[in-house]
Amino acid sequence: MTSTPTPFMWRFMLALSRAVVFPLCRLRVSGDIPDELRAGPLILAANHVSPFDPVVMTAACHKAGIAPRIMATGGLFSAPVVGAAMKAAGHIRVDRNTAHVADALPAAAQALKDGALVLVYPEGRIGLDPWMWPERGKTGVARMAAASGAPVLPVAQWGAHAVLPYETPKHLLRSVLRAMRHRPVVHVRFGTPVDLTGLTGTAGAQAMQATRLIMDGIHDTLIPLRTGELETPRFVDETRAVDMARVRPRRPTDTEAAPLVAIQRRHRFRLRRRADHRLTQR
């Protein structure tokens, strides 16, 4: 299978991203993409922690020598200059919360069938887990994999929230100047392909099983990047909202991560106690 050539605009944006990232942070890329997967088709499934993530991922992909098509929010495509660049680069529009949101899935599946690499954020938004671990994912990535037969490679990123916080573009200049002063370390790690064999049940049930496996893969890939931060991030983004509705059950994956489940259960218990206390005070 031969993939379509990378558009000139996308090659230019990939190179430009390295120049944009350099003054704002120290990018560290680890892990590897197997040679047999580099030519595609391949789905790159990444966690989402900051508005700066797409820039970081673009620079990391350039460093890794790949040029995936990105599934991005429709708002970017509607912007005067950025929108034209996104279209020229061949990226895939996702109009969330509209009647056209379903159009993105067949477009991505077709790109994969044509041999492309596609980068997607399975959470569908910047994650709002209180401890900044990946949330429960949407089933779109699993359905893309089933429709195209493409393997899924988890990608973890960490530290971009110290560059641009959740509230961006509010106070953008202040955030940029702070990042330029401190140049925080931002990590991107390419993980191990997710084994999606052995799924059972209906198509919907299999999509849910596959989604859990994909999010587990992202979680496992993220653990080495959060050494010393398994309980609480060193940099706390005070502008970031919290949503407990999509918090994923945690499972230990190695000796370093073993205390994680107990830690987060204690956190949930404390949050519930605070909520109950506020209710009794009304």
Side-chain angles (χ1 to χ4, degrees):
M1 182 181 297
T2 303
S3 58
T4 56
T6 303
F8 169 79
M9 177 57 72
W10 185 214
R11 295 199 306 271
F12 172 74
M13 292 168 67
L14 283 162
L16 180 64
S17 66
R18 299 282 293 274
V20 172
V21 162
F22 180 78
L24 298 175
C25 66
R26 289 164 286 168
L27 179 62
R28 304 288 185 263
V29 179
S30 57
D32 196 14
I33 303 166
D35 291 339
E36 63 272 18
L37 299 182
R38 285 179 168 269
L42 178 64
I43 299 171
L44 300 169
N47 62 320
H48 202 355
V49 299
S50 162
F52 195 52
D53 290 347
V55 181
V56 168
M57 282 302 307
T58 300
C61 287
H62 185 261
K63 194 169 184 178
I66 58 174
R69 296 177 65 179
I70 300 176
M71 297 188 71
T73 179
L76 289 176
F77 288 82
S78 300
V81 177
V82 176
M86 293 292 286
K87 293 172 187 174
H91 296 311
I92 301 167
R93 178 172 184 147
V94 183
D95 289 302
R96 299 190 183 100
N97 303 316
T98 72
H100 300 290
V101 67
D103 296 341
L105 187 58
Q110 185 58 55
L112 290 164
K113 288 179 180 178
D114 292 340
L117 281 70
V118 175
L119 170 64
V120 62
Y121 297 102
E123 294 161 288
R125 66 176 184 180
I126 294 175
L128 299 181
D129 179 284
W131 307 277
M132 295 190 69
W133 289 95
E135 296 182 322
R136 286 203 312 267
K138 304 286 188 178
T139 60
V141 178
R143 296 180 189 277
M144 284 165 47
S148 64
V152 180
L153 187 85
V155 185
Q157 51 187 353
W158 184 247
H161 58 292
V163 179
L164 293 184
Y166 181 80
E167 68 174 355
T168 305
K170 188 177 180 181
H171 304 309
L172 176 61
L173 180 59
R174 184 174 68 186
S175 299
V176 168
L177 291 175
R178 182 185 62 216
M180 293 178 69
R181 185 167 64 251
H182 297 290
R183 291 193 73 227
V185 175
V186 175
H187 292 278
V188 174
R189 181 177 178 82
F190 295 95
T192 303
V194 180
D195 183 2
L196 297 180
T197 60
L199 303 177
T200 59
T202 64
Q206 291 186 36
M208 292 180 67
Q209 294 170 44
T211 300
R212 285 193 293 270
L213 292 171
I214 291 166
M215 299 312 297
D216 284 346
I218 297 173
H219 175 271
D220 295 351
T221 307
L222 179 59
I223 286 173
L225 306 184
R226 291 190 58 164
T227 302
E229 299 182 74
L230 293 179
E231 182 174 356
T232 305
R234 289 194 187 97
F235 180 85
V236 178
D237 180 2
E238 300 291 349
T239 72
R240 195 167 159 277
V242 170
D243 182 3
M244 296 292 293
R246 287 172 56 185
V247 170
R248 296 173 55 253
R250 307 290 188 241
R251 60 177 180 78
T253 56
D254 55 23
T255 54
E256 182 183 23
L260 187 57
V261 174
I263 288 170
Q264 295 186 338
R265 282 175 180 166
R266 289 199 299 271
H267 272 294
R268 290 193 187 96
F269 178 72
R270 289 169 187 161
L271 287 170
R272 291 192 188 101
R273 286 188 60 184
R274 290 173 188 168
D276 292 342
H277 178 72
R278 285 196 293 268
L279 287 173
T280 59
Q281 296 300 311
R282 291 179 179 175

